[in-house]
Amino acid sequence: VHSHSLGLNGESFRSEKNLKIAFFLTIFILLVEFSGAIISKSMALYSNSGHILVDASSLLLAWFAQKQIRKIPNGKNTYGYHRMGILAALLNSLLLLIISAVLIYESYLRLLRPEIVNSKIMIIFPIVSLFINVLIGLKIHKDIHSNLNLKGSFFHILGDSLISVAIIAAGIIIYFTGLDYVDPIMSLIVSPIIAIGAFSVINETINILLEGVPKEIDFLKVKTEILKKRGVEEVHDLHIWSMSKSFRLLSAHILIEKNISNSSDICCIIEDIQKTLKEKFEINHVVIQPELTICDMTNTFCIHQNV
Ligand SMILES: [Zn+2]
Ligand SMILES: [Zn+2]
Ligand SMILES: [Zn+2]
């Protein structure tokens, strides 16, 4: 068992508990918003209820992803199921893009034909949602940097809170002025924020799926760090990629200096490299092929052509 799997288990357990709490609170918000929509006949609250319904399902999806990470790797899936979480995050974000587009379109329609709404309900009910969203946001914020699903959820909660604020503000303005079109205008300002958060998650998940170098890691810096090691003559066929946001991997061929041929010395060099990569770049899964004479693959990047 590698050290990285232990770390991930602890981390996912912590966020899984938070996800569970977030899911049930979202169901509660849904009930509040939907009853508010029925009482006020406000289209804004109706569409926000629909949006929160999707929230609940995507939280369920993220929760599912966390369970996948804890599954033990086996002969069929030797890395385990980390990528299930990446796929869930991608799906979740695509869903958010659609929601954002629907909200923009609905707001546009409302702008053309404003409707009379019960502004008091528009003020009171979203305050409850806002309060709960702020609580959820504060709770998961500390984990978002290591967990892509939580990062997505956090941006989402931020967007949700802004929607609540916009609905409350619109309700206050409508209450005092009777200007019904203020409501769709507010919605048009707020909706793109959901899309921005979604785009950042889509970017990151696609980079992981394309086996890209993690964006926090400088490829050349890693190469230089390996070359600096005593006994390392040259590095080639160097790969850096990630299985999920917090599970990074590296593989490389290293050419051992001519004066070293003792196997215990070679082991020391490899252990030294592994230690440095873990400490400086948080790359936990390292595979190094030591070579006494250089192999056919002399490029930094390997060229695997299907001939
Ligand atoms: Zn939402
Ligand atoms: Zn391994
Ligand atoms: Zn080689």
Side-chain angles (χ1 to χ4, degrees):
V1 177
H2 298 274
S3 53
H4 58 73
S5 55
L6 284 171
L8 280 172
N9 283 348
E11 184 185 287
S12 64
F13 180 74
R14 201 170 68 229
S15 42
E16 191 180 321
K17 189 175 150 245
N18 288 344
L19 273 174
K20 212 184 284 186
I21 296 166
F23 173 71
F24 288 113
L25 285 174
T26 305
I27 292 290
F28 179 72
I29 293 172
L30 176 63
L31 294 175
V32 171
E33 292 275 316
F34 193 63
S35 51
I38 293 169
I39 299 165
S40 70
K41 293 184 172 65
S42 155
M43 270 308 294
L45 285 181
Y46 264 119
S47 59
N48 202 29
S49 303
H51 145 236
I52 292 163
L53 184 68
V54 180
D55 287 3
S57 69
S58 55
L59 277 170
L60 205 63
L61 208 67
W63 187 3
F64 159 79
Q66 291 295 332
K67 280 204 183 305
Q68 300 303 311
I69 287 176
R70 285 169 64 199
K71 277 192 184 168
I72 295 158
N74 54 49
K76 242 180 158 182
N77 292 72
T78 58
Y79 280 119
Y81 297 82
H82 300 271
R83 287 280 172 88
M84 290 291 266
I86 300 304
L87 289 175
L90 183 61
L91 206 68
N92 192 358
S93 301
L94 291 173
L95 222 57
L96 288 184
L97 277 188
I98 295 168
I99 291 166
S100 177
V102 168
L103 284 176
I104 290 168
Y105 181 67
E106 286 293 324
S107 308
Y108 167 73
L109 291 183
R110 283 290 297 267
L111 203 57
L112 296 180
R113 286 177 277 102
E115 286 166 38
I116 296 162
V117 291
N118 183 335
S119 54
K120 277 183 201 158
I121 300 296
M122 270 183 79
I123 297 164
I124 296 162
F125 279 67
I127 287 175
V128 179
S129 317
L130 180 63
F131 180 72
I132 295 169
N133 269 320
V134 168
L135 285 184
I136 299 172
L138 289 175
K139 193 152 180 58
I140 69 170
H141 183 260
K142 62 182 186 296
D143 290 332
I144 64 168
H145 300 293
S146 58
N147 188 313
L148 215 51
N149 285 304
L150 282 187
K151 189 182 174 187
S153 304
F154 181 76
F155 271 111
H156 196 139
I157 286 162
L158 197 69
D160 288 6
S161 303
L162 285 167
I163 290 170
S164 294
V165 170
I167 293 174
I168 293 164
I172 291 169
I173 293 169
I174 294 166
Y175 180 78
F176 286 109
T177 65
L179 300 170
D180 289 311
Y181 62 82
V182 169
D183 172 42
I185 288 174
M186 275 297 187
S187 186
L188 278 175
I189 296 167
V190 168
S191 303
I193 293 164
I194 302 172
I196 293 167
F199 270 123
S200 104
V201 176
I202 288 170
N203 241 325
E204 234 170 328
T205 49
I206 286 178
N207 186 49
I208 288 171
L209 290 174
L210 291 182
E211 318 279 336
V213 176
K215 73 175 199 296
E216 300 85 359
I217 287 181
D218 183 342
F219 183 87
L220 286 177
K221 228 169 152 182
V222 174
K223 192 184 177 187
T224 311
E225 207 64 49
I226 296 171
L227 280 171
K228 269 201 298 203
K229 292 295 173 195
R230 191 195 59 84
V232 177
E233 177 81 41
E234 198 257 347
V235 183
H236 56 273
D237 198 5
L238 175 58
H239 295 278
I240 308 169
W241 73 106
S242 48
M243 197 50 55
S244 65
K245 173 106 175 155
S246 49
F247 180 3
R248 295 171 182 162
L249 309 92
L250 178 146
S251 76
H253 295 192
I254 56 167
L255 184 65
I256 304 293
E257 277 173 6
K258 283 198 168 53
N259 55 335
I260 301 167
S261 57
N262 188 315
S263 64
S264 70
D265 285 345
I266 294 172
C267 273
C268 275
I269 294 168
I270 292 173
E271 273 170 25
D272 189 23
I273 293 171
Q274 283 175 328
K275 193 164 167 273
T276 301
L277 291 175
K278 190 173 179 172
E279 281 167 4
K280 289 201 171 166
F281 305 101
E282 289 174 46
I283 302 172
N284 291 316
H285 196 281
V286 175
V287 178
I288 287 174
Q289 171 172 314
E291 292 168 356
L292 296 176
T293 52
I294 200 150
C295 71
D296 293 339
M297 210 110 67
T298 49
N299 270 308
T300 294
F301 309 104
C302 72
I303 302 156
H304 292 287
Q305 274 166 339
N306 219 351
V307 189

